[in-house]
Amino acid sequence: QILFDRYGEQRWWPGDSAFEIMVGAVLTQNTAWINVERAINGLKRDKLLSAESIAACPPERLAQVIRSSGYFNVKAQRLQSLCRWLIEQGGVAALTRHDDSSLRQLLLSVHGIGPETADDILLYACERAVFVIDAYTRRLFSRLAIFEGDEPYEDMRLAVQEALAEHITSVTEAVRLYNEYHALIVQHAKATCCKTSPACDQCCLRAQCPSASVLASNVV
DNA sequence: GTCCAGGGTTCGT
DNA sequence: ACGAACCATGGA
Protein backbone atom coordinates (compact mmCIF):
# COMPACT_ATOMS: atom_id res chain seq x y z
CA GLN A 1 0.00 0.00 0.00
CA ILE A 2 2.90 2.33 0.79
CA LEU A 3 4.46 1.67 -2.63
CA PHE A 4 1.09 2.05 -4.38
CA ASP A 5 0.42 5.38 -2.69
CA ARG A 6 3.85 6.62 -3.73
CA TYR A 7 4.04 5.37 -7.31
CA GLY A 8 0.45 4.66 -8.40
CA GLU A 9 -0.81 1.87 -10.64
CA GLN A 10 1.99 0.45 -12.84
CA ARG A 11 -0.03 -1.31 -15.57
CA TRP A 12 2.53 -4.02 -16.24
CA TRP A 13 3.93 -5.77 -18.28
CA PRO A 14 5.10 -3.21 -20.91
CA GLY A 15 4.29 -4.82 -24.28
CA ASP A 16 1.48 -5.10 -26.81
CA SER A 17 0.98 -8.88 -26.83
CA ALA A 18 1.54 -12.03 -24.78
CA PHE A 19 4.31 -13.04 -27.17
CA GLU A 20 6.12 -9.72 -26.81
CA ILE A 21 5.96 -10.13 -23.03
CA MET A 22 7.55 -13.58 -23.28
CA VAL A 23 10.36 -12.20 -25.46
CA GLY A 24 10.89 -9.34 -23.03
CA ALA A 25 11.03 -11.76 -20.09
CA VAL A 26 13.99 -13.57 -21.68
CA LEU A 27 15.76 -10.41 -22.86
CA THR A 28 15.54 -8.68 -19.47
CA GLN A 29 17.44 -11.45 -17.67
CA ASN A 30 20.03 -9.61 -15.58
CA THR A 31 19.64 -6.61 -17.87
CA ALA A 32 18.34 -3.03 -17.58
CA TRP A 33 14.94 -2.65 -19.27
CA ILE A 34 16.04 0.33 -21.36
CA ASN A 35 18.44 -1.95 -23.24
CA VAL A 36 15.68 -4.52 -23.72
CA GLU A 37 13.40 -1.89 -25.28
CA ARG A 38 15.99 -1.15 -27.93
CA ALA A 39 16.31 -4.86 -28.70
CA ILE A 40 12.52 -5.30 -28.99
CA ASN A 41 12.31 -2.23 -31.24
CA GLY A 42 14.97 -3.83 -33.42
CA LEU A 43 12.94 -7.05 -33.63
CA LYS A 44 9.85 -5.05 -34.63
CA ARG A 45 11.81 -3.05 -37.21
CA ASP A 46 13.10 -6.25 -38.82
CA LYS A 47 9.69 -8.00 -38.67
CA LEU A 48 11.09 -10.52 -36.22
CA LEU A 49 8.44 -10.31 -33.51
CA SER A 50 6.75 -13.66 -34.10
CA ALA A 51 7.59 -17.21 -33.05
CA GLU A 52 7.91 -18.35 -36.66
CA SER A 53 10.24 -15.57 -37.81
CA ILE A 54 12.51 -15.84 -34.77
CA ALA A 55 12.67 -19.62 -35.06
CA ALA A 56 13.63 -19.32 -38.75
CA CYS A 57 16.17 -16.51 -38.30
CA PRO A 58 19.90 -17.30 -38.52
CA PRO A 59 21.24 -17.18 -34.91
CA GLU A 60 24.06 -14.77 -35.84
CA ARG A 61 21.62 -12.27 -37.32
CA LEU A 62 19.17 -12.60 -34.41
CA ALA A 63 22.05 -12.01 -31.99
CA GLN A 64 22.99 -8.75 -33.76
CA VAL A 65 19.41 -7.47 -33.67
CA ILE A 66 19.15 -8.01 -29.90
CA ARG A 67 22.73 -6.88 -29.28
CA SER A 68 21.77 -4.03 -26.95
CA SER A 69 20.21 -6.37 -24.39
CA GLY A 70 23.56 -7.99 -23.60
CA TYR A 71 24.45 -11.71 -23.54
CA PHE A 72 23.23 -11.59 -27.13
CA ASN A 73 24.59 -14.98 -28.19
CA VAL A 74 22.98 -16.94 -25.34
CA LYS A 75 19.76 -14.91 -25.53
CA ALA A 76 19.45 -15.54 -29.27
CA GLN A 77 19.55 -19.28 -28.49
CA ARG A 78 17.09 -18.87 -25.63
CA LEU A 79 14.61 -16.97 -27.81
CA GLN A 80 14.79 -19.69 -30.44
CA SER A 81 14.28 -22.42 -27.83
CA LEU A 82 11.23 -20.56 -26.54
CA CYS A 83 9.83 -20.02 -30.04
CA ARG A 84 10.32 -23.62 -31.15
CA TRP A 85 8.57 -24.74 -27.99
CA LEU A 86 5.69 -22.32 -28.58
CA ILE A 87 5.25 -23.58 -32.12
CA GLU A 88 5.17 -27.23 -31.05
CA GLN A 89 2.64 -26.27 -28.36
CA GLY A 90 0.39 -24.89 -31.08
CA GLY A 91 0.95 -21.20 -30.34
CA VAL A 92 0.47 -18.89 -27.37
CA ALA A 93 -3.33 -19.34 -27.34
CA ALA A 94 -3.00 -23.11 -26.94
CA LEU A 95 -1.27 -22.72 -23.57
CA THR A 96 -4.64 -22.20 -21.85
CA ARG A 97 -5.23 -25.97 -21.87
CA HIS A 98 -2.56 -26.49 -19.18
CA ASP A 99 -3.17 -25.83 -15.50
CA ASP A 100 -0.77 -23.48 -13.65
CA SER A 101 1.47 -26.20 -12.29
CA SER A 102 1.77 -28.13 -15.56
CA LEU A 103 2.48 -24.98 -17.55
CA ARG A 104 5.16 -24.00 -15.05
CA GLN A 105 6.87 -27.38 -15.43
CA LEU A 106 6.71 -27.10 -19.22
CA LEU A 107 8.23 -23.62 -19.22
CA LEU A 108 11.04 -24.72 -16.89
CA SER A 109 11.88 -27.52 -19.32
CA VAL A 110 12.66 -24.94 -22.04
CA HIS A 111 16.40 -24.19 -22.28
CA GLY A 112 17.12 -20.72 -20.94
CA ILE A 113 13.93 -20.36 -18.89
CA GLY A 114 14.52 -20.55 -15.14
CA PRO A 115 12.14 -19.94 -12.22
CA GLU A 116 11.88 -16.16 -12.53
CA THR A 117 11.50 -16.01 -16.29
CA ALA A 118 8.89 -18.79 -16.11
CA ASP A 119 6.93 -16.85 -13.50
CA ASP A 120 7.18 -13.60 -15.49
CA ILE A 121 5.58 -15.44 -18.39
CA LEU A 122 2.98 -17.20 -16.22
CA LEU A 123 1.86 -14.01 -14.45
CA TYR A 124 2.21 -11.32 -17.10
CA ALA A 125 1.67 -13.19 -20.37
CA CYS A 126 -0.67 -16.00 -19.25
CA GLU A 127 -2.36 -14.20 -16.35
CA ARG A 128 -1.78 -17.04 -13.88
CA ALA A 129 -1.70 -16.43 -10.12
CA VAL A 130 2.05 -16.80 -9.57
CA PHE A 131 4.11 -14.34 -7.52
CA VAL A 132 7.44 -13.39 -9.11
CA ILE A 133 10.55 -13.47 -6.91
CA ASP A 134 13.42 -11.40 -8.28
CA ALA A 135 16.60 -9.89 -6.83
CA TYR A 136 14.69 -6.76 -5.75
CA THR A 137 12.03 -8.80 -3.97
CA ARG A 138 14.75 -10.66 -2.08
CA ARG A 139 16.39 -7.39 -1.06
CA LEU A 140 13.12 -5.77 -0.02
CA PHE A 141 11.94 -8.63 2.16
CA SER A 142 15.37 -9.31 3.64
CA ARG A 143 15.84 -5.63 4.51
CA LEU A 144 12.39 -5.66 6.09
CA ALA A 145 13.64 -8.69 8.08
CA ILE A 146 10.83 -10.86 6.70
CA PHE A 147 13.29 -13.24 5.03
CA GLU A 148 17.01 -13.87 5.21
CA GLY A 149 17.15 -13.34 1.45
CA ASP A 150 18.98 -16.50 0.44
CA GLU A 151 16.02 -18.90 0.71
CA PRO A 152 15.39 -21.21 -2.25
CA TYR A 153 13.19 -19.65 -4.94
CA GLU A 154 10.15 -21.86 -4.36
CA ASP A 155 10.26 -21.48 -0.59
CA MET A 156 10.03 -17.72 -0.92
CA ARG A 157 7.39 -17.73 -3.67
CA LEU A 158 5.05 -20.04 -1.73
CA ALA A 159 5.61 -18.18 1.53
CA VAL A 160 4.72 -14.84 -0.07
CA GLN A 161 1.65 -16.30 -1.75
CA GLU A 162 0.47 -17.82 1.54
CA ALA A 163 1.05 -14.53 3.35
CA LEU A 164 -1.07 -12.67 0.79
CA ALA A 165 -3.83 -15.31 0.72
CA GLU A 166 -5.89 -13.68 3.47
CA HIS A 167 -6.27 -10.54 1.36
CA ILE A 168 -7.49 -12.44 -1.70
CA THR A 169 -10.92 -13.92 -2.49
CA SER A 170 -10.53 -14.96 -6.13
CA VAL A 171 -7.95 -15.97 -8.73
CA THR A 172 -8.59 -12.73 -10.63
CA GLU A 173 -7.76 -10.74 -7.52
CA ALA A 174 -4.61 -12.77 -6.96
CA VAL A 175 -3.40 -12.09 -10.50
CA ARG A 176 -4.06 -8.36 -10.13
CA LEU A 177 -2.35 -8.15 -6.74
CA TYR A 178 0.72 -10.20 -7.76
CA ASN A 179 1.01 -8.17 -10.97
CA GLU A 180 0.88 -4.81 -9.25
CA TYR A 181 3.03 -5.83 -6.27
CA HIS A 182 6.00 -7.03 -8.29
CA ALA A 183 5.74 -4.07 -10.66
CA LEU A 184 5.77 -1.65 -7.70
CA ILE A 185 8.86 -3.29 -6.22
CA VAL A 186 10.70 -2.86 -9.53
CA GLN A 187 9.44 0.71 -9.86
CA HIS A 188 10.80 1.43 -6.38
CA ALA A 189 14.16 0.05 -7.47
CA LYS A 190 14.16 2.25 -10.56
CA ALA A 191 13.33 5.33 -8.53
CA THR A 192 16.55 4.94 -6.61
CA CYS A 193 17.17 7.79 -4.27
CA CYS A 194 20.78 7.12 -3.24
CA LYS A 195 21.98 6.59 -6.80
CA THR A 196 21.17 10.19 -7.65
CA SER A 197 21.26 11.57 -4.13
CA PRO A 198 23.99 10.11 -1.87
CA ALA A 199 22.33 11.47 1.25
CA CYS A 200 19.04 9.61 0.96
CA ASP A 201 17.66 8.16 4.20
CA GLN A 202 15.47 5.46 2.68
CA CYS A 203 16.39 2.04 1.38
CA CYS A 204 16.24 2.11 -2.39
CA LEU A 205 16.80 -1.58 -3.22
CA ARG A 206 20.12 -0.85 -4.82
CA ALA A 207 22.62 -3.61 -3.99
CA GLN A 208 24.97 -1.30 -2.09
CA CYS A 209 22.37 1.10 -0.73
CA PRO A 210 23.92 2.69 2.38
CA SER A 211 20.54 2.94 4.11
CA ALA A 212 19.72 -0.77 3.81
CA SER A 213 21.00 -1.59 7.27
CA VAL A 214 19.16 1.42 8.71
CA LEU A 215 15.88 0.16 7.34
CA ALA A 216 16.42 -3.34 8.67
CA SER A 217 17.27 -2.15 12.16
CA ASN A 218 14.25 0.17 12.27
CA VAL A 219 11.89 -2.66 11.40
CA VAL A 220 13.45 -5.15 13.78
C1' DG B 1 37.60 3.14 -13.96
C1' DT B 2 33.63 0.98 -11.01
C1' DC B 3 29.14 -0.72 -10.24
C1' DC B 4 25.19 -3.10 -11.65
C1' DA B 5 20.95 -4.13 -14.36
C1' DG B 6 13.48 -6.92 -13.87
C1' DG B 7 18.92 -14.52 -14.56
C1' DG B 8 20.30 -19.13 -16.31
C1' DT B 9 23.48 -22.83 -17.33
C1' DT B 10 27.38 -25.47 -16.46
C1' DC B 11 30.73 -27.51 -13.77
C1' DG B 12 33.17 -28.14 -9.71
C1' DT B 13 32.88 -29.60 -4.44
C1' DA C 1 22.42 -28.91 -2.45
C1' DC C 2 25.48 -24.98 -2.96
C1' DG C 3 29.41 -21.82 -4.99
C1' DA C 4 31.75 -19.81 -8.81
C1' DA C 5 32.69 -18.78 -13.50
C1' DC C 6 30.60 -17.48 -17.61
C1' DC C 7 27.69 -14.86 -20.69
C1' DA C 8 28.14 -8.89 -22.55
C1' DT C 9 25.86 -4.30 -23.43
C1' DG C 10 25.26 0.35 -21.69
C1' DG C 11 23.88 4.03 -18.33
C1' DA C 12 25.12 6.40 -14.02
Side-chain angles (χ1 to χ4, degrees), chain A residues 108-161:
Chain A
L108 289 174
S109 74
V110 178
H111 187 87
I113 295 188
E116 188 188 331
T117 307
D119 290 346
D120 281 337
I121 292 173
L122 285 165
L123 177 59
Y124 291 105
C126 302
E127 299 182 7
R128 307 301 182 100
V130 174
F131 195 93
V132 177
I133 304 295
D134 67 345
Y136 293 141
T137 309
R138 288 179 182 279
R139 278 177 208 159
L140 176 64
F141 289 141
S142 65
R143 288 170 187 180
L144 288 169
I146 296 170
F147 288 102
E148 284 300 321
D150 57 352
E151 290 85 351
Y153 186 96
E154 279 297 88
D155 289 3
M156 193 175 277
R157 180 175 75 86
L158 296 174
V160 171
Q161 290 183 183

